[in-house]
Amino acid sequence: DVKVTQSSRYLVKRTGEKVFLECVQDMDHENMFWYRQDPGLGLRLIYFSYDVKMKEKGDIPEGYSVSREKKERFSLILESASTNQTSMYLCASSTPEGGRYEQYFGPGTRLTVT
Amino acid sequence: DQQVKQNSPSLSVQEGRISILNCDYTNSMFDYFLWYKKYPAEGPTFLISISSIKDKNEDGRFTVFLNKSAKHLSLHIVPSQPGDSAVYFCAEKGTGANNLFFGTGTRLTVIP
């Protein structure tokens, strides 16, 4: 069964802290993604990666960075957390096989920055 | 400008009736549209998709219709069940892209 796991379900951090969100997939997928979900704004793409050590900016990369050292793991880093980064963060993975690029999502991390 | 639009933020339907969720798009160069369903505190899960070469795809109670001339697609759920209450996102797989563009979502509430 397809599985994407995220390191934490809930996280509370202080303003200015460095925050690491980890995502692991067990499907040998090439592509991995980080989104944030906010009410009324849907899923907004932060960064994605289509190969190890490769990364592409999404729609809202400011204040974030990513790391993909291994195919199965994609990390999202908040260099200096701010209150406007309080959100639900979702990781996903996909493969080009079949052409549909269907994404499989993890359960999400609810991050609160105080 | 939003590439994929879901203009109705919410929809309420009686159990047993039809739910129709709508999505409009601007990019004519796409391969697929996908629908995802999301429960609170969970990640979205894939529901159904439609290829650009089709105008209808059906899977059980779920049917997606694609109208390319109107740049519009819709998801029909018949009959609606209380367990269908969730947020529904449509997403576009553009030609040549390896990511998806998501709409803002529609919250469906099915009233028992």
Side-chain angles (χ1 to χ4, degrees), chain B residues 33-51:
Chain B
F33 272 96
L34 298 84
W35 283 94
Y36 280 81
K37 175 180 177 179
K38 186 182 184 301
Y39 292 118
E42 292 184 15
T45 54
F46 170 74
L47 192 57
I48 191 170
S49 66
I50 188 163
S51 162

Side-chain angles (χ1 to χ4, degrees), chain B:
Chain B
D1 197 17
Q2 192 83 17
Q3 188 162 329
V4 177
K5 291 184 181 179
Q6 294 177 258
N7 292 316
S8 299
S10 63
L11 174 68
S12 290
V13 171
Q14 289 285 340
E15 181 178 3
R17 306 293 290 267
I18 185 171
S19 296
I20 300 176
L21 299 108
N22 295 303
C23 185
D24 296 302
Y25 61 93
T26 58
N27 180 19
S28 297
M29 301 294 291
F30 67 93
D31 297 326
Y32 286 90
F33 272 96
L34 298 84
W35 283 94
Y36 280 81
K37 175 180 177 179
K38 186 182 184 301
Y39 292 118
E42 292 184 15
T45 54
F46 170 74
L47 192 57
I48 191 170
S49 66
I50 188 163
S51 162
S52 61
I53 62 173
K54 295 193 171 183
D55 54 20
K56 177 181 174 182
N57 189 28
E58 192 170 353
D59 183 2
R61 296 186 297 114
F62 303 91
T63 303
V64 57
F65 295 93
L66 176 62
N67 183 335
K68 289 189 281 291
S69 61
K71 295 187 178 180
H72 177 85
L73 69 157
S74 60
L75 174 68
H76 293 210
I77 306 173
V78 182
S80 301
Q81 299 173 354
D84 296 330
S85 297
V87 177
Y88 290 78
F89 293 97
C90 67
E92 178 192 84
K93 159 64 176 74
T95 301
N98 59 6
N99 59 321
L100 302 177
F101 290 97
F102 284 85
T104 52
T106 297
R107 180 178 301 279
L108 173 65
T109 302
V110 180
I111 304 163

